[in-house]
Amino acid sequence: MCAKLLILESPGKVKKVQEFLGSGWKVAASVGHVRDLPVKEMGVAAPDFKPKYIPTDRGKDILSRLAGLVKNAESVYLATDPDREGEAIAWHLQDALKLKDAKRVTYAEITEKAIKAALDVPRSIDMALVAAQEGRRVLDRFCGYMVSGPLSNAAGEKLSAGRVQSPAVRLVVEREREIQDFRSTTHYGAELTFENVDNITDGWKAVWQVKPWIEDGQEYLLDKALAEKAAALRSLEVIDCKESESRSAPPAPFTTSSLQQAASNALKFTPKQTMQLAQKLYEGGHITYMRTDSPNLSQEAVDAIRAFCEGQGWPLVEKPRSWKSKEGAQEAHEAIRPTHIEVEEAGETADEKALYRLIRLRSLASQLEDAVYAVRVLQLAADLDGKQALFEAKGRTLLSQGWKVLTAEDAAIEDSGDSAELENPVPAMKSGTSPTALSGTVLTKKTKPAARFTEASLIRELEKRGIGRPSTYAAILDTIMSRGYVKTEKRLLVPTPLGVMVVDGLRGNFSFVEYEFTRTMEQALDDIAAGKADYRSVISEAHARLEQELQAFAQATGKVCEKCGKPMVHRVKKPGKDGKGGYDFWGCTGWPECKETR
């Protein structure tokens, strides 16, 4: 026996962690998953739904190498990533390497202090987390293996169904149809421009409040002639002047989802690219773990951030901030932040450095004061066709920068829409004052359809609907685009004919493409992880429902086994090297129990 063995997930972390632990330790990597379900068969069946795992091609060699290290180790510590996937990998290592007394350790940042603290409190593998990951994998396998064949047969095209990918494609398809069906309405308004009282800046503007003038049953003002009369008004009277303050709080520190959205909007990174860069920063010890749905920071991190901000003379918020997590958040880890807040630049490439800056600024801003604005609203009135026409002039001036000393806008927001108010220098005027407009403009507007999704806004929609989880968003988008179901045009997501075909084939036939069902299933997986639900009952219920739907689909499409009633699928046996022996046939999906063919 020799050194203690610590097995990580990523080979990129090995050297750094080895330096932290020294000669009494041997650090090795599993390089992610070492086992998976078989490629050429389902690998899981009723009634117990126990998955059949085999080593992956890469996993065979890795398990062989690790087995040699295990033989010579006095104890084995499994330090795979601190999430469900990492917990499952740790269990696979324990099972495949037949480890009797493996110690599970987790940490959210690759620093010497965090790793040594984790090694002091090892635990056993959390089998509830393993069951939740296994449940996700098996449900995905059901949808892929059981549905893709019948769907392809019915469509006459090779298509694949996915438990979370198909609802994501559906969102894009439905948005596109909404855009195509949209009919634009031209409507009108009016804006008056006044000379600024001190003549220092450009004139200020007041907008006609059209709501009292809209006809019953209409949403918008359609009378252009009336708008022209409103724009021609020149003599008005101030009937009210309100002064108030508005406050803008800093955004919360990054979760996986908000980081992907902000990096898409501010840096034009794809979600996949963002996660690859964040992985590099994490492995380099620069940021905390990048898969999290909690927007809150640890007390230690808050203290360090506040101390740094105070040293810079920045305006600290009096009481440390915390945020409410979204419904269903697992909150296993704190938000994404720098491991050392005082480090201004980190990462090896320009892209890594840009992402680090985004993460650091968001973390720092989270503990600074609100930005404070002085808001002035003037209400003006004039006679229009014997009826009082109201105009409103609203201006906003920054009084105290607060968190905006660091960044003018929140990178996760595509367009705040406040710039017009900031540029409108509305003067203070007493009621009864009669300003004269210098000019007026008819505002011609057209209603617009909902915008196509960007990658960032699709992630936001998936998160809002409870489809997928932080670790899956980037993979969902990568899958639907690599399979050719969705493409990008000027950074906007557009469904392809194949994507439309998948959605139309699934809708009304399979419940997993329904948004509410998908959300409920994600909650069931969370319940398994929390020990509130049983793996076998959740999986068997989902399997039974899918089998019923498949039989109904087979009956509706005429591709049903006459012997057992299960769907038939078209199979092709490729010819051998001599070009002989190739044929195609219809086979029952109940094989091997039912061997019916046509």
Side-chain angles (χ1 to χ4, degrees), residues 445-593:
K445 305 171 186 178
K446 287 191 174 184
T447 56
K448 293 180 180 178
R452 281 172 170 166
F453 286 111
T454 61
E455 290 185 87
S457 63
L458 182 57
I459 286 173
R460 190 158 58 242
E461 188 69 19
L462 290 170
E463 184 178 40
K464 186 176 87 174
R465 291 177 180 268
I467 300 170
R469 286 297 182 259
S471 59
T472 64
Y473 296 136
I476 290 170
L477 266 74
D478 188 48
T479 300
I480 64 178
M481 287 194 274
S482 64
R483 287 183 177 164
Y485 299 153
V486 173
K487 62 182 180 179
T488 55
E489 291 180 4
K490 296 179 180 176
R491 300 189 68 239
L492 300 174
L493 300 180
V494 183
T496 64
L498 271 183
V500 172
M501 202 179 289
V502 166
V503 171
D504 288 347
L506 294 173
R507 281 222 61 191
N509 295 311
F510 298 99
S511 51
F512 68 83
V513 80
E514 301 302 327
Y515 303 130
E516 183 57 28
F517 179 85
T518 307
R519 188 195 67 75
T520 304
M521 190 52 68
E522 290 290 356
Q523 186 57 55
L525 293 172
D526 290 349
D527 288 344
I528 292 173
K532 297 176 186 175
D534 172 64
Y535 163 87
R536 186 171 163 182
S537 60
V538 170
I539 298 304
S540 61
E541 185 181 330
H543 183 264
R545 181 170 185 157
L546 193 56
E547 280 210 309
Q548 284 179 349
E549 291 172 347
L550 276 164
Q551 289 201 11
F553 186 71
Q555 294 283 358
T557 55
K559 309 290 194 304
V560 64
C561 175
E562 292 173 1
K563 192 171 182 181
C564 73
K566 288 189 176 180
M568 300 282 281
V569 291
H570 183 231
R571 302 193 188 279
V572 177
K573 185 180 185 303
K574 293 180 180 177
K577 289 182 180 178
D578 59 0
K580 296 178 181 178
Y583 57 91
D584 66 324
F585 64 98
W586 287 85
C588 180
T589 54
W591 188 90
E593 288 77 18

Side-chain angles (χ1 to χ4, degrees), residues 88-146:
I89 293 170
W91 174 78
H92 278 287
L93 290 168
Q94 177 180 266
D95 190 59
L97 295 170
K98 297 178 172 55
L99 301 175
K100 294 279 191 286
D101 188 30
K103 296 172 172 61
R104 174 74 170 124
V105 293
T106 58
Y107 41 82
E109 57 186 68
I110 302 177
T111 59
E112 187 171 351
K113 180 182 175 184
I115 291 170
K116 288 185 173 177
L119 292 170
D120 286 340
V121 286
R123 59 172 173 82
S124 57
I125 288 170
D126 186 332
M127 291 309 295
L129 291 183
V130 174
Q133 187 277 340
E134 198 161 71
R136 179 182 292 281
R137 186 75 187 90
V138 167
L139 287 170
D140 290 346
R141 175 58 63 107
F142 285 168
C143 293
Y145 266 63
M146 295 170 70

Side-chain angles (χ1 to χ4, degrees), residues 146-163:
M146 295 170 70
V147 180
S148 296
L151 181 67
S152 298
N153 294 335
E157 286 269 4
K158 187 168 174 55
L159 302 173
S160 61
R163 186 181 62 85

Side-chain angles (χ1 to χ4, degrees), residues 243-246 372-376 395-400 422:
E243 306 270 358
S244 63
E245 278 189 359
S246 70
V372 182
Y373 297 88
V375 180
R376 181 177 292 142
R396 202 174 63 141
T397 308
L398 186 63
L399 293 180
S400 171
L422 284 168

Side-chain angles (χ1 to χ4, degrees), residues 26 42 60-61 147 197 215 240 268 277 279 287 380 384 426 432 435 451 474 548:
K26 171 65 179 173
M42 179 102 87
K60 289 175 192 170
D61 294 335
V147 180
V197 258
E215 293 180 13
D240 192 25
K268 309 302 182 234
L277 294 168
Q279 177 83 33
I287 63 169
L380 305 104
L384 177 60
V426 178
Q548 284 179 349

Side-chain angles (χ1 to χ4, degrees), residues 225-537:
L226 187 61
E228 287 170 343
K229 286 181 184 179
L233 293 170
R234 293 295 177 262
S235 296
L236 291 95
E237 181 183 344
V238 176
I239 58 172
D240 192 25
C241 180
K242 283 194 173 74
E243 306 270 358
S244 63
E245 278 189 359
S246 70
R247 307 179 77 87
S248 168
F254 283 127
T255 60
T256 304
S257 167
S258 61
L259 177 65
Q260 290 174 4
Q261 292 170 50
S264 175
N265 293 329
L267 304 174
K268 309 302 182 234
F269 293 164
T270 65
K272 182 180 180 181
Q273 187 183 6
T274 298
M275 295 311 290
Q276 288 171 339
L277 294 168
Q279 177 83 33
K280 292 285 187 186
L281 289 171
Y282 170 64
E283 289 175 4
H286 305 306
I287 63 169
T288 53
Y289 193 56
M290 64 284 163
R291 290 192 182 96
T292 176
D293 52 13
S294 171
N296 289 304
L297 300 170
S298 66
Q299 188 58 55
E300 185 182 0
V302 169
D303 292 343
I305 288 169
R306 289 177 70 83
F308 181 82
C309 291
E310 192 171 22
Q312 300 297 310
W314 294 335
L316 268 178
V317 68
E318 188 177 338
K319 186 182 174 186
R321 294 183 193 273
S322 61
W323 284 265
K324 186 179 178 183
S325 295
K326 287 184 169 63
E327 188 181 347
Q330 295 157 32
E331 296 199 80
H333 318 294
E334 64 176 314
I336 305 164
R337 60 165 175 85
T339 50
H340 302 288
I341 198 67
E342 69 278 5
V343 176
E344 290 187 23
E345 188 175 277
E348 295 182 5
T349 66
D351 285 350
E352 284 176 33
K353 289 174 183 175
L355 189 64
Y356 177 82
R357 279 194 296 275
L358 208 61
I359 293 166
R360 182 170 181 267
L361 282 176
R362 180 68 81 98
S363 302
L364 288 167
S366 72
Q367 296 305 319
L368 296 183
E369 287 183 346
D370 292 354
V372 182
Y373 297 88
V375 180
R376 181 177 292 142
V377 180
L378 282 185
Q379 293 280 342
L380 305 104
D383 180 76
L384 177 60
D385 286 352
K387 181 178 170 183
Q388 187 186 57
L390 289 176
F391 287 75
E392 185 177 272
K394 188 174 183 180
R396 202 174 63 141
T397 308
L398 186 63
L399 293 180
S400 171
Q401 283 185 296
W403 64 276
K404 297 206 172 196
V405 297
L406 297 181
T407 173
E409 292 295 335
D410 171 18
I413 299 172
E414 293 181 62
D415 182 9
S416 65
D418 289 337
S419 56
E421 285 180 19
L422 284 168
E423 293 166 5
N424 197 19
V426 178
M429 285 187 173
K430 293 179 181 177
S431 293
T433 307
S434 300
T436 301
L438 298 177
S439 61
T441 307
V442 172
L443 302 176
T444 303
K445 305 171 186 178
K446 287 191 174 184
T447 56
K448 293 180 180 178
R452 281 172 170 166
F453 286 111
T454 61
E455 290 185 87
S457 63
L458 182 57
I459 286 173
R460 190 158 58 242
E461 188 69 19
L462 290 170
E463 184 178 40
K464 186 176 87 174
R465 291 177 180 268
I467 300 170
R469 286 297 182 259
S471 59
T472 64
Y473 296 136
I476 290 170
L477 266 74
D478 188 48
T479 300
I480 64 178
M481 287 194 274
S482 64
R483 287 183 177 164
Y485 299 153
V486 173
K487 62 182 180 179
T488 55
E489 291 180 4
K490 296 179 180 176
R491 300 189 68 239
L492 300 174
L493 300 180
V494 183
T496 64
L498 271 183
V500 172
M501 202 179 289
V502 166
V503 171
D504 288 347
L506 294 173
R507 281 222 61 191
N509 295 311
F510 298 99
S511 51
F512 68 83
V513 80
E514 301 302 327
Y515 303 130
E516 183 57 28
F517 179 85
T518 307
R519 188 195 67 75
T520 304
M521 190 52 68
E522 290 290 356
Q523 186 57 55
L525 293 172
D526 290 349
D527 288 344
I528 292 173
K532 297 176 186 175
D534 172 64
Y535 163 87
R536 186 171 163 182
S537 60

